[in-house]
Amino acid sequence: MNLTTHSQEETADVGRRLAPSLNAGAVLLLIGDLGAGKTALVRGLAEGLGVPPEEVSSPTFTLMQEYRGGRLPLIHVDLYRLNDSREIDELGLEELGLESVLAIEWAEKLPRAIADAIEIRIAHGDGDERNISIQ
Ligand code: ADP
Ligand code: MG
């Protein structure tokens, strides 16, 4: 599926609309440059899962954050600062998300593919335009 958005809110909406279709164990691989809108989409995802918005609105610089209080826990991972594939392996991401939804930014850094993951690519267009492809 291919979509075009024109604002951060519209990109968050894509996550919001995706949320109801996700089950425990769902893995979302987010791929796109800095500023593409990966975090915006995850924020919408959290809202769509019913995570209280105040949980999600604070900016985070952590590698991994878990949001509770929604239909399913959401584990949000950002691999931006990790470059060593062994460090990434040690996170044990595959075992983490079994009872949650797992959303991984900079998923192209993963040393191994995760089975049945949903791949979301976000590319910059002109200005605020973003082209989003899902799976
Ligand atoms: P990433 O996590 O991919 O680095 P962020 O979601 O943190 O990106 O930031 C995206 C930035 O781009 C925000 O500053 C946002 O306001 C801006 N932006 C402009 N247009 C869009 C759009 N269509 N979708 C998402 N973000 C957009
Ligand atoms: Mg981000």
Side-chain angles (χ1 to χ4, degrees):
M1 181 174 38
N2 292 293
L3 302 159
T4 300
T5 66
H6 306 87
S7 69
Q8 187 168 21
E9 262 322 292
E10 249 188 89
T11 295
D13 250 347
V14 174
R16 236 175 253 129
R17 282 183 277 127
L18 199 58
S21 68
L22 301 175
N23 296 316
V27 179
L28 280 73
L29 307 177
L30 290 142
I31 299 169
D33 292 342
L34 203 60
K38 301 179 294 299
T39 300
L41 194 144
V42 174
R43 182 170 56 78
L45 188 67
E47 290 174 13
L49 288 170
V51 175
E54 63 271 19
E55 288 265 307
V56 194
S57 55
S58 61
T60 167
F61 305 96
T62 52
L63 178 66
M64 203 181 310
Q65 182 132 354
E66 187 168 351
Y67 303 116
R68 295 188 166 270
R71 183 171 66 83
L72 293 165
L74 171 64
I75 302 174
H76 180 193
V77 177
D78 190 332
L79 299 178
Y80 182 60
R81 287 183 178 75
L82 290 191
N83 288 306
D84 180 6
S85 62
R86 208 188 51 222
E87 268 182 309
I88 294 173
D89 256 352
E90 283 166 3
L91 298 174
L93 293 177
E94 264 118 318
E95 293 90 70
L96 260 185
L98 296 177
E99 288 169 7
S100 312
V101 171
L102 177 61
I104 307 172
E105 294 191 44
W106 298 96
E108 64 268 44
K109 294 187 173 196
L110 288 172
R112 270 189 312 279
I114 296 181
D116 300 322
I118 299 168
E119 195 172 287
I120 302 178
R121 290 182 180 268
I122 310 179
H124 279 84
D126 286 340
D128 286 350
E129 194 175 286
R130 302 290 190 273
N131 298 302
I132 304 179
S133 80
I134 303 181
Q135 201 118 67

